[in-house]
Amino acid sequence: MAPGLPGFTIVGLADTALQEARERVRGAIRNSGYEYPPRRITVNLAPAELRKSGASLDLAIALGILVGSEQVSANGRWAVLGELSLGGELRSMPGLLPMVAALGRRTVKRIVVPLDGLAEARLACDVDVVAAATLAEAAVLLRESRRGRARVQPPRVELAADGLGERVGSDRGWGIGVASEMGPDLAEVRGQLEARRALELALAGGHSMVMIGPPGSGKTLLARTVPGLLPALDDQEARIATIIASVSGSEPLTDLVRARPFRSPHHTISYAGMVGGGPLLSPGEVTRANDGVLFLDELPEYDRATLEALRQPMEDGEVAISRVGRAAVFPSRFQLIAAMNPCPCGHAGEGDGRCRCQPGIVDRYTARVSGPLRDRIDIWVHMPRVEPAEYVLSGAHEGSDRVAARVVEARRRQMLRSGRVNSRLSGRALRGACALGQAEQAHAVRLAEMDGWSARGIERLLRVARTAADLEGVERVAETHLDEAARFRSPTGRCLGFAVAG
Ligand SMILES: [Zn+2]
């Protein structure tokens, strides 16, 4: 603060929202019973070369001015976070939880947060968080010593003492039925026994899957049962999911995110919406689906570049995004489940002459899903039209409960054996996990030679076969498991236009 013509300048690569802090801070100070000092005010945001964005620094700027003009005194070392309204009320902002956690790691142990973000901020461990509803309340807190602070503390959110380092796959965390939006029950899906089995395999082993079938065959309905079939997140996964939700969300969180993510972005989604980016370097769908399922309906309708951008995150389990001067790496361990028609009209391959698409058009349609992307799909399943008789007459199918229980058990076996789901195994770890006998090895070679698969194709076969064996609860992969995996490896012939790269 300096003498001279009254003014207010913010330097240090602030974006528009942050530049507008000047107006919010001025209004908030005046409306909180303090004097706005008639001096030259310069706010310097360091380090200078790093871009700053958003409104999370409002409170810090306002308190800085009040301390600088000696209207407020600060006792000890505090961090303050929050957006101000013109009237002086404090509001929470996206990403509060990771900010609090990062401050805690930097040994700032006392943090003032907006009252509506208190529950979220308290999800971070080992940090002394206090809440203020207004600028005036925050100023009072700053003066006080550690003890004897004014505001009543709400009860700490039950985090179960957070067993950091607890082993992934321990019994806890694999419970069923905590997802809030469970979708329809599997019992509502008529017919489609093969697709139901394919979905069970996919979820049990974390395998990527594509369903191909005409409109009305139940692809979307089947996909919507997924949230009810997925096991809850374990503690470590829940922490990561909660941070991702904090950064992506508009509403402050109140508790750990326990439901395994199920994201189904529309095919009009932008590139940045899918992989992440934009002015705030926000996480995209591949990150919001981390440790869960990314469902893409009408797969060929997505923008080609957007689909291609899925390959790297699928392979690496993380995605690097950058914008001018900033870069970030986000987790993206998602499982891809997709649905598509066999041709633009949807009826190719049914042999009933209803498809009116020109052959060239069909090829071009299916080719929108590129070879390298197809090559990353473990399970292909064809879903024929459901015949009226089958729809009306077929008896009751298994409900979601029983399938979910098998999925949980199969995943538990994988975690105990390898510490990861089968879809993330490769090389020696995969061969070791399969424990193929000589007869089974010969059988796998026969299958591979029959369809001309590459080494990559064989690995995919082994992974799915391993999951089939896990669902059955057996330690060694047998020929029947290999056969089943092979059935879901080759849609060629049954699904028109698709020659899957081996
Ligand atoms: Zn057609």
Side-chain angles (χ1 to χ4, degrees):
M1 215 158 303
L5 275 180
F8 191 168
T9 318
I10 298 179
V11 297
L13 289 185
D15 75 350
T16 316
L18 195 42
Q19 286 295 349
E20 287 171 354
R22 286 181 298 192
E23 306 310 320
R24 293 190 296 271
V25 163
R26 193 177 300 153
I29 287 180
R30 285 192 178 132
N31 289 313
S32 303
Y34 294 103
E35 188 204 359
Y36 184 78
R39 308 180 70 185
R40 256 185 93 81
I41 300 170
T42 307
V43 174
N44 180 29
L45 306 174
E49 70 280 2
L50 186 72
R51 279 171 198 281
K52 291 93 179 170
S53 57
S56 58
L57 297 176
D58 285 4
L59 180 59
I61 292 172
L63 286 172
I65 290 172
L66 292 182
V67 171
S69 58
E70 295 175 355
Q71 300 182 70
V72 166
S73 60
N75 187 352
R77 189 170 150 83
W78 287 87
V80 296
L81 290 168
E83 174 184 338
L84 281 171
S85 74
L86 290 175
E89 289 90 21
L90 271 172
R91 275 198 288 257
S92 191
M93 60 275 161
L96 179 65
L97 174 58
M99 284 189 236
V100 169
L103 286 164
R105 283 198 299 275
R106 295 200 157 209
T107 70
V108 177
K109 296 301 184 197
R110 307 159 81 192
I111 305 178
V112 180
V113 300
L115 186 59
D116 65 350
L118 180 62
E120 177 175 327
R122 287 171 82 85
L123 293 172
C125 314
D126 300 328
V127 187
D128 186 12
V129 180
V130 283
T134 61
L135 171 60
E137 278 188 25
V140 171
L141 283 171
L142 234 57
R143 253 199 325 261
E144 285 169 358
S145 63
R146 265 180 98 81
R147 295 174 214 294
R149 68 175 74 91
R151 189 151 201 107
V152 188
Q153 298 229 359
R156 187 168 265 276
V157 176
E158 196 44 68
L159 246 184
D162 245 10
L164 255 174
E166 188 177 1
R167 221 149 51 92
V168 177
S170 63
D171 286 342
R172 219 168 119 213
W174 289 111
I176 323 158
V178 269
S180 52
E181 297 196 11
M182 305 284 271
D185 194 277
L186 204 50
E188 288 174 35
V189 178
R190 311 304 291 169
Q192 304 297 8
L193 293 181
E194 190 164 83
R196 291 167 64 101
R197 173 65 182 172
L199 183 65
E200 185 173 333
L201 276 169
L203 296 180
H207 304 288
S208 50
M209 173 173 103
V210 173
M211 300 175 271
I212 306 175
S217 56
K219 305 184 296 283
T220 312
L221 177 65
L222 190 63
R224 282 178 51 223
T225 67
V226 167
L229 299 172
L230 288 169
L233 296 170
D234 68 33
D235 289 343
Q236 178 62 24
E237 291 168 334
R239 265 192 291 275
I240 295 169
T242 307
I243 287 174
I244 293 170
S246 169
V247 175
S248 324
S250 48
E251 290 289 305
L253 301 168
T254 52
D255 206 346
L256 277 188
V257 174
R258 281 287 177 187
R260 208 162 276 274
F262 178 80
R263 306 289 305 176
S264 51
H266 190 253
H267 61 72
T268 52
I269 189 173
S270 69
Y271 185 93
M274 185 70 94
V275 301
L280 297 179
L281 223 58
S282 318
E285 291 295 331
V286 297
T287 299
R288 301 180 76 169
N290 186 54
D291 286 327
V293 167
L294 180 67
F295 173 58
L296 303 183
D297 207 353
E298 315 270 7
L299 187 63
E301 302 293 335
Y302 287 79
D303 181 62
R304 177 81 188 237
T306 305
L307 283 187
E308 289 305 294
L310 294 177
R311 283 160 47 190
Q312 212 55 47
M314 272 175 93
E315 205 72 10
D316 300 342
E318 58 182 34
V319 59
I321 53 179
S322 62
R323 266 183 79 88
V324 197
R326 299 174 72 193
V329 176
F330 291 137
S332 66
R333 274 192 321 272
F334 64 91
Q335 171 183 0
L336 178 67
I337 294 183
M340 60 184 286
N341 294 335
C343 68
C345 84
H347 298 287
E350 289 188 71
D352 57 1
R354 279 173 73 190
C355 174
R356 298 278 173 230
C357 304
Q358 300 291 325
I361 304 244
V362 176
D363 288 345
R364 222 175 306 150
Y365 181 74
T366 54
R368 288 198 214 161
V369 183
S370 74
L373 182 59
R374 291 180 212 183
D375 201 26
R376 286 169 170 77
I377 306 297
D378 292 347
I379 295 176
W380 296 85
V381 63
H382 181 58
M383 293 179 69
R385 194 174 57 206
V386 181
E387 299 300 331
E390 197 176 7
Y391 183 84
V392 178
L393 299 176
S394 70
H397 290 315
E398 257 185 328
S400 289
D401 287 3
R402 293 179 58 188
V403 178
R406 285 201 297 271
V407 167
V408 167
E409 176 58 22
R411 284 195 177 218
R412 196 186 60 79
R413 294 178 69 90
Q414 295 164 49
M415 290 298 167
L416 284 177
R417 183 179 51 235
S418 321
R420 54 177 64 191
V421 286
N422 290 335
S423 60
R424 303 223 157 259
L425 287 179
S426 61
R428 204 189 325 165
L430 175 63
R431 290 195 299 275
C434 288
L436 294 180
Q438 278 194 341
E440 289 77 19
Q441 283 179 12
H443 191 64
V445 171
R446 259 201 311 282
L447 287 170
E449 281 174 350
M450 218 155 54
D451 286 296
W453 289 332
S454 63
R456 214 173 190 172
I458 298 171
E459 287 218 319
R460 283 175 197 285
L461 177 85
L462 290 181
R463 283 182 202 133
V464 177
R466 180 61 263 178
T467 302
D470 284 324
L471 277 170
E472 205 180 306
V474 298
E475 266 319 299
R476 295 176 80 99
V477 171
E479 289 189 17
T480 51
H481 306 131
L482 292 166
D483 285 338
E484 181 171 36
R487 197 151 52 92
F488 292 120
R489 276 299 297 146
S490 46
T492 328
R494 292 192 300 156
C495 302
L496 211 77
F498 264 94
V500 174

